[in-house]
Amino acid sequence: MNSYKISINDTKKVFSQLNCDTGGISILSKKSKLHTLYIKDMHVGAANILKQDALSIGAELAVPTGVITAKEKHVDGILIGTTKHFEILSRKELTQPFGLKDLAKDLKAYVQQNSNKTKIMGVLNANEDSFFSGSRFDEIQASSRIEEMISDGADIIDIGAVSSRPGSIAVEESVELQRVKSIVDAIYENKYFEKVDFSIDSYSPLVIDYVLNKGFKIVNDITGLSNDEVCKVSAKYNAQVIIMHMQNDPSNMQDNPEYENIMLDLDKYFQTQIQKAQSFGIKDIVLDVGIGFGKTLEHNLTLLNNMEHFKHFGFEVLIGASRKSMIDKIVSSSIEQRLPGTLAIHLESIKKGASIVRCHDVKEHYQAIKVLEAINSIN
């Protein structure tokens, strides 16, 4: 008898190949994935109840010393358990006091099994001050570049006419529309929207209304739907909306950004903006943590390492770190030299739950993602 340790990416597939009982495959899959959940500011009574309930089913809650004697009224804790454990606790805690009912709802959301096809969003900028010159195109060059990105494997093409790099200044809506109009018209006339989906990187209601009427399907709003008019026009066309987080605005977002707890702060932000979007009738939502938009290197790394957390809302997660300065802060490099770092970030983000990758280098990402998918298909 011999044995070897395996890495399981698709538990149901593995158990099926093993010819396990059909009814048991789902049960075994839920016992195969381990979750670690950081819980802040629990009432000490909740901590003691959850500790005992977790231990009774084989899970664990790590808490500070002194919890059993209620040394502190509120404590933090780390809950460790499988999907099956979390499902059981999500039912058990529904009847418990001290805020555990709300935690039960969170536990149920955290173990949702949402699987989405990875999609590549290529970037095409119709402005002269985008931070990466290789993504800038005028109306004459745009059609050729769009056809190239489609051929290279893009699923979505994101058009922007206003730079959002740190220190950039917003422009008038009429100027933004003038910059993008001829490209949008060419997309419509050539029916490129029948081959890939088009996204508008804008928070201008005027621009958004124009492009959604010309075959665009996605609104990529770096302000996260701060403008009610953007909500209204997006809902009118039943567009998909990408809600991005940004602290302050591009002109000052990198001026000493601070958070009390970046994970909890962004979680609260998304909860608020999702509710706002839905109140206007927006149904199709994507979340973007906004790498580099009002974040230090440590903030960015924390978000990347915990990307899977944001899937609990039940929406797709977008990652967009293409050639950004955080790479230079890790390994000194010019914008043109940051493709390897970009691929490292994006591939790791896919592993952690991101399903839309916004990038400047479509062909290279297509190859890298296909190789990753091939590796993950073998168990």
Coordinates of all heavy atoms in Angstrom, one line a residue, residues 184 188 207-217 233 236-237:
V184 N -16.9 54.8 -29.8 CA -18.2 54.2 -29.5 C -19.0 54.0 -30.7 O -19.6 52.9 -31.0 CB -19.0 55.0 -28.4 CG1 -20.4 54.4 -28.2 CG2 -18.3 55.0 -27.1
Y188 N -20.3 50.5 -32.6 CA -21.7 50.3 -32.9 C -21.9 49.9 -34.4 O -22.6 49.0 -34.8 CB -22.6 51.5 -32.5 CG -24.0 51.3 -32.7 CD1 -24.8 50.5 -31.8 CD2 -24.7 51.9 -33.7 CE1 -26.1 50.3 -31.9 CE2 -26.1 51.8 -33.9 CZ -26.8 51.0 -33.0 OH -28.2 50.8 -33.1
V207 N -22.3 60.4 -20.5 CA -21.5 59.5 -21.3 C -22.1 58.1 -21.2 O -22.2 57.4 -22.2 CB -20.0 59.5 -20.8 CG1 -19.2 58.3 -21.5 CG2 -19.4 60.8 -21.0
I208 N -22.5 57.7 -20.0 CA -23.0 56.3 -19.8 C -24.3 56.1 -20.6 O -24.5 55.1 -21.2 CB -23.3 56.1 -18.2 CG1 -21.9 56.0 -17.5 CG2 -24.1 54.8 -18.0 CD1 -22.1 56.1 -16.0
D209 N -25.2 57.1 -20.6 CA -26.4 57.0 -21.3 C -26.1 56.9 -22.8 O -26.8 56.1 -23.5 CB -27.3 58.3 -21.1 CG -28.6 58.2 -21.7 OD1 -29.5 57.5 -21.2 OD2 -28.8 58.8 -22.8
Y210 N -25.1 57.6 -23.3 CA -24.8 57.6 -24.7 C -24.3 56.2 -25.1 O -24.8 55.6 -26.1 CB -23.7 58.6 -25.1 CG -23.5 58.7 -26.6 CD1 -24.3 59.4 -27.4 CD2 -22.4 58.0 -27.2 CE1 -24.0 59.5 -28.8 CE2 -22.2 58.0 -28.5 CZ -23.0 58.8 -29.3 OH -22.8 58.8 -30.7
V211 N -23.4 55.6 -24.4 CA -22.8 54.3 -24.8 C -23.7 53.1 -24.6 O -23.7 52.2 -25.3 CB -21.4 54.1 -24.0 CG1 -20.5 55.2 -24.3 CG2 -21.6 53.8 -22.5
L212 N -24.6 53.2 -23.5 CA -25.5 52.1 -23.3 C -26.5 52.1 -24.4 O -27.1 51.0 -24.7 CB -26.2 52.3 -21.9 CG -25.3 52.0 -20.7 CD1 -26.1 52.2 -19.4 CD2 -24.6 50.7 -20.7
N213 N -26.7 53.2 -25.0 CA -27.7 53.2 -26.2 C -27.0 52.8 -27.5 O -27.6 52.7 -28.5 CB -28.2 54.7 -26.4 CG -29.4 54.7 -27.3 OD1 -30.3 53.8 -27.2 ND2 -29.5 55.7 -28.1
K214 N -25.6 52.5 -27.4 CA -24.9 52.1 -28.6 C -24.3 50.7 -28.4 O -23.2 50.4 -28.9 CB -23.7 53.1 -28.8 CG -24.2 54.5 -29.2 CD -24.6 54.5 -30.7 CE -24.8 55.9 -31.2 NZ -25.1 56.0 -32.6
G215 N -25.0 49.8 -27.6 CA -24.6 48.4 -27.5 C -23.7 48.1 -26.3 O -23.4 46.9 -26.1
F216 N -23.3 49.0 -25.5 CA -22.5 48.7 -24.3 C -23.4 48.1 -23.3 O -24.6 48.4 -23.2 CB -21.9 50.0 -23.7 CG -20.6 50.4 -24.4 CD1 -20.6 50.7 -25.8 CD2 -19.5 50.6 -23.6 CE1 -19.4 51.1 -26.4 CE2 -18.3 51.1 -24.2 CZ -18.3 51.3 -25.6
K217 N -22.9 47.2 -22.4 CA -23.7 46.5 -21.5 C -23.3 46.7 -20.0 O -24.0 46.3 -19.1 CB -23.7 45.0 -21.8 CG -24.3 44.6 -23.1 CD -24.3 43.1 -23.3 CE -24.9 42.7 -24.6 NZ -24.8 41.2 -24.9
V233 N -29.7 55.8 -14.8 CA -29.4 55.5 -16.2 C -29.0 54.0 -16.4 O -29.4 53.3 -17.3 CB -28.4 56.4 -16.9 CG1 -27.0 56.2 -16.3 CG2 -28.4 56.3 -18.4
K236 N -32.1 51.9 -16.2 CA -32.9 52.1 -17.3 C -32.5 51.1 -18.4 O -33.4 50.6 -19.1 CB -32.8 53.6 -17.8 CG -33.7 53.8 -19.1 CD -33.6 55.3 -19.5 CE -32.3 55.7 -20.1 NZ -32.3 57.0 -20.7
Y237 N -31.2 50.9 -18.6 CA -30.8 50.0 -19.6 C -30.5 48.6 -19.1 O -30.0 47.7 -19.9 CB -29.5 50.5 -20.2 CG -29.7 51.8 -21.1 CD1 -29.5 53.0 -20.5 CD2 -30.0 51.7 -22.4 CE1 -29.6 54.2 -21.3 CE2 -30.1 52.8 -23.2 CZ -30.0 54.1 -22.7 OH -30.1 55.2 -23.4

